[in-house]
Amino acid sequence: MRRTVLGTVLAATALIWGIGTVAPVSAQTLTAQTEAPNGVAGPYLGAVSAELTGDIAAAARLYDRAATGDPDNIDLRRRALWQLVLAGEVDTARPHADYLLRQGVDDQAVGLIVIAEEIRAGAFPRTAERLVAGNGLLDPLLSGMIAGWALSVDDIDAAAATFEGIQGPDALRRVAVFHSVLARAVSGDMEGAATRLEALEGDDLFTDARSIIAIAEIWAATGRQGAALALLDEAESRGFPPGILQDVRSRIGSGTVPGLTVIENATEGAAEALYTMAQFLVLRRESRQFPLFLARLTLHLAPDHDEARLLLSGILSGTGQYALAMDVLSEIAPTSPQFIRAETNRAGALQNAGRAEEAIGVLTALSRAHPESLTASLALADALRREERWVEASDAYSAAIDLVETIERNSWVLFFRRGIAYERSDRWPAAEADFRRALELNPDEPNVLNYLGYSLVELGRNYEEAEQMIRTAVEREPQSGYIVDSLAWVLYRMGRFEEAVEPMERAVALVPFDPILNDHLGDILWMVGRKTEAQFQWKRALSFEPQEEEIPRIRRKLAVGLDTVLEEEAAEPSPQAATEEAE
């Protein structure tokens, strides 16, 4: 089946972390309103309902109102604190944290707020003492990262020992060592930072923009300008938009590298520790609320941390909180290196919220304001493709391709997407040329092989070539039900019905509820004489809400059988013949 996966797959990092969070709302909790004081039951029930439906802003407001009405209710205080931070109301959450701490509540959320406020006030010795004492408020991994930054203010060697003594998965330990490098650079010991950084050189963990900029600044500050510029060149060759790295490149080129700009003090370092942990948890994909909590605290400590805003907005969009996500993105200034990415993400949130025209308007304006930006041009093309505005999408993809200075292997996706737009707008020769160009760049890409192979089958062309393409795609993606379906379908179209049964049954097992796959299985079963099973599959296909144009044919097969339907279709004049007859 012609179905594609166009997103970039991120490898999840294994991370062992026990996280203490507020317990989820249970059905039993709903009965607790009978014990609440007068005036609290309404806000409480509203808060519970908002929490269950994922409305963070309403849950925060209503839990806070309920906790204010019943100030000695520890559970309400905890829920109010949690939801307020998720909604970005950290200052409003602070009184709840103070109260809970006085009551001896041993909660990681409480501890994080208290420590964040100490760091904001510059009380680093108190924070270090609290964390080194290991009072259980924080997970040891997070505690060690923040403690290292608190210690770095007065004792960089003690800070380094703390960072490098952190235990945990290897990936996280290497990140902790990198924070030790950053802390040394912030303290002014650039040579010490560079020496320790050399041990991490080549580590593929540090490929985000903030890490690249920090490493380049450390190399340049210690006389390694060549290595710094080579790092920036390599990053851009891997697809980094040049604008994000332009400032640091200009400073290094002019010989002006005053120090570390990504993190300038211990407060920002502690914020970076929170941000780092939020990133790890997002990659682990086991929790969304806790990384959201950490990202909010990151911004509480470092309001200019635009990467944290991007992470935060992504989490919010992933939970359907599009309005909150857009609010976060709107705080990124047009002068920020992350502005173009913020606007493309804001457009994505608008489109996901059902406001496609607004999204396309945002991206059109962005592309006009930044005609040199491949990111903006490609985002506009993708948005048009999602709305099935195929002709406009193909034009936008052409504009994006024109912006690529050097066509390389990873450029295949641009030709593939434009090929889809051409094919869907009935421009097959152009589509086929793009698909084959994509395969020249990336010969074994399963999505292209599958799409082109399936298209050839549907056109009744090059069956043998199509079969080989699809078999290669299946070898690369054996768990893709849609690609396995394509193999079964090419065998069906070639009249090899018995051979088609096994892959078609396997495809339906992989994707049980797809109407097209179930319809295909019905056709193949009919052709091998398993007519009762075929009718069952057609009925299943109808129950899975197929496209409107497919429904009459499936119903006709149920009424008269596939043989009769095929005879009827063969007797109908082709569109080309009908046109010629009319002329």
Side-chain angles (χ1 to χ4, degrees):
M1 180 180 179
R2 195 165 48 209
R3 188 72 63 90
T4 64
V5 178
L6 299 176
T8 302
V9 179
L10 296 177
T13 304
L15 177 63
I16 303 169
W17 190 329
I19 299 171
T21 61
V22 174
V25 178
S26 65
Q28 289 79 10
T29 307
L30 294 171
T31 64
Q33 55 88 16
T34 58
E35 303 173 8
N38 291 336
V40 173
Y44 175 76
L45 285 176
V48 170
S49 176
E51 187 177 3
L52 287 170
T53 57
D55 189 341
I56 295 171
R61 183 179 66 255
L62 292 168
Y63 272 129
D64 186 46
R65 188 186 303 172
T68 301
D70 187 7
D72 295 325
N73 189 318
I74 288 177
D75 181 64
L76 283 180
R77 292 270 200 176
R78 292 176 74 242
R79 293 185 184 281
L81 176 152
W82 184 258
Q83 294 294 330
L84 284 165
V85 174
L86 296 187
E89 302 290 339
V90 181
D91 288 333
T92 307
R94 174 65 191 274
H96 298 301
D98 290 340
Y99 176 86
L100 292 168
L101 190 64
R102 290 195 301 270
Q103 300 304 311
V105 174
D106 189 15
D107 185 282
Q108 186 163 208
V110 173
L112 281 168
I113 293 177
V114 170
I115 287 167
E117 291 303 318
E118 288 179 350
I119 290 172
R120 286 185 83 197
F124 296 106
R126 188 188 312 163
T127 297
E129 182 180 357
R130 186 190 300 277
L131 293 173
V132 171
N135 57 8
L137 280 177
L138 299 189
D139 181 276
L141 297 173
L142 185 55
S143 176
M145 294 282 281
I146 298 175
W149 280 105
L151 288 166
S152 71
V153 174
D154 296 317
D155 190 341
I156 190 60
D157 292 328
T162 299
F163 282 123
E164 304 205 18
I166 289 176
Q167 299 299 309
D170 287 343
L172 188 60
R173 291 178 64 188
R174 292 197 295 277
V175 170
V177 173
F178 187 57
H179 273 257
S180 177
V181 169
L182 298 176
R184 283 201 178 277
V186 169
S187 74
D189 182 12
M190 283 291 188
E191 284 294 343
T195 299
R196 193 65 187 92
L197 183 58
E198 288 174 345
L200 295 171
E201 193 172 6
D203 197 312
D204 59 4
L205 283 174
F206 312 117
T207 56
D208 63 292
R210 293 177 68 79
S211 298
I212 290 167
I213 292 171
I215 294 169
E217 288 177 333
I218 292 170
W219 288 148
T222 54
R224 300 171 173 87
Q225 282 83 0
L229 292 172
L231 175 66
L232 298 177
D233 289 340
E234 196 272 336
E236 290 181 7
S237 73
R238 289 188 287 106
F240 263 91
I244 293 179
L245 306 176
Q246 182 176 354
D247 178 65
V248 66
R249 181 185 289 280
S250 298
R251 286 188 286 110
I252 292 172
S254 66
T256 305
V257 186
L260 202 63
T261 62
V262 172
I263 300 171
E264 297 185 355
N265 52 54
T267 299
E268 293 180 3
E272 195 72 15
L274 294 167
Y275 171 67
T276 298
M277 297 305 172
Q279 283 183 303
F280 269 102
L281 289 174
V282 168
L283 288 173
R284 193 183 180 194
R285 300 180 186 179
E286 288 190 7
S287 167
R288 284 181 171 173
Q289 284 208 336
F290 197 61
L292 178 58
F293 190 96
L294 294 175
R296 287 292 195 187
L297 287 183
T298 299
L299 290 171
H300 190 59
L301 291 178
D304 295 332
H305 200 308
D306 285 342
E307 289 79 3
R309 283 193 172 83
L310 291 170
L311 179 68
L312 176 60
S313 67
I315 300 169
L316 290 167
S317 290
T319 56
Q321 299 288 308
Y322 302 121
L324 283 177
M326 286 184 276
D327 287 344
V328 170
L329 291 167
S330 67
E331 296 172 356
I332 297 180
T335 54
S336 169
Q338 299 293 348
F339 177 71
I340 290 176
R341 185 177 169 196
E343 284 293 272
T344 59
N345 288 4
R346 185 166 71 89
L350 281 167
Q351 197 162 17
N352 289 333
R355 297 158 62 182
E357 288 304 316
E358 291 178 67
I360 290 171
V362 168
L363 293 171
T364 300
L366 185 68
S367 295
R368 288 173 180 167
H370 299 274
E372 80 294 342
S373 172
L374 176 60
T375 300
S377 184
L378 185 55
L380 175 58
D382 286 341
L384 291 166
R385 177 175 54 85
R386 282 184 61 184
E387 296 307 310
E388 300 185 358
R389 291 163 58 169
W390 302 115
V391 174
E392 293 171 85
S394 64
D395 291 343
Y397 282 123
S398 294
I401 290 170
D402 289 342
L403 290 172
V404 180
E405 292 184 6
T406 305
I407 299 298
E408 298 176 333
R409 180 183 176 89
N410 61 6
S411 303
W412 70 268
V413 70
L414 298 174
F415 293 95
F416 180 39
R417 294 180 187 180
R418 187 174 68 174
I420 293 173
Y422 281 147
E423 184 268 333
R424 295 296 175 89
S425 54
D426 298 322
R427 290 176 284 175
W428 174 249
E432 183 176 10
D434 269 0
F435 293 144
R436 293 192 183 278
R437 180 71 172 116
L439 288 176
E440 288 176 11
L441 296 167
N442 191 5
D444 293 327
E445 168 51 47
N447 289 309
V448 183
L449 290 167
N450 175 58
Y451 203 106
L452 176 55
Y454 190 92
S455 297
L456 291 171
V457 171
E458 290 295 278
L459 291 168
R461 292 177 45 195
N462 301 24
Y463 282 146
E464 292 183 0
E465 181 189 23
E467 179 185 356
Q468 186 54 52
M469 285 181 175
I470 296 169
R471 286 191 182 279
T472 302
V474 171
E475 290 174 4
R476 295 294 303 273
E477 295 287 348
Q479 297 304 308
S480 171
Y482 301 112
I483 295 178
V484 177
D485 166 74
S486 294
L487 176 58
W489 201 239
V490 69
L491 294 171
Y492 168 84
R493 294 294 294 268
M494 294 172 73
R496 292 153 61 182
F497 305 123
E498 293 289 348
E499 288 181 65
V501 173
E502 187 278 329
M504 194 66 249
E505 289 181 332
R506 181 154 47 98
V508 171
L510 290 166
V511 190
F513 306 115
D514 188 283
I516 296 177
L517 270 64
N518 281 275
D519 184 35
H520 283 179
L521 178 56
D523 288 4
I524 291 170
L525 291 174
W526 181 275
M527 287 302 192
V528 296
R530 295 162 61 176
K531 297 186 176 181
T532 301
E533 293 172 82
Q535 290 178 324
F536 172 75
Q537 291 302 142
W538 291 329
K539 290 177 182 177
R540 275 176 58 85
L542 285 175
S543 73
F544 298 142
E545 300 181 357
Q547 295 182 0
E548 285 295 324
E549 61 268 23
E550 300 294 334
I551 293 175
R553 188 174 190 272
I554 298 173
R555 287 178 173 164
R556 184 64 177 161
K557 288 188 289 188
L558 283 167
V560 299
L562 178 58
D563 297 331
T564 301
V565 169
L566 293 175
E567 290 171 3
E568 293 171 347
E569 291 173 345
E572 295 176 358
S574 66
Q576 181 179 356
T579 301
E580 291 173 353
E581 183 178 343
E583 293 175 350

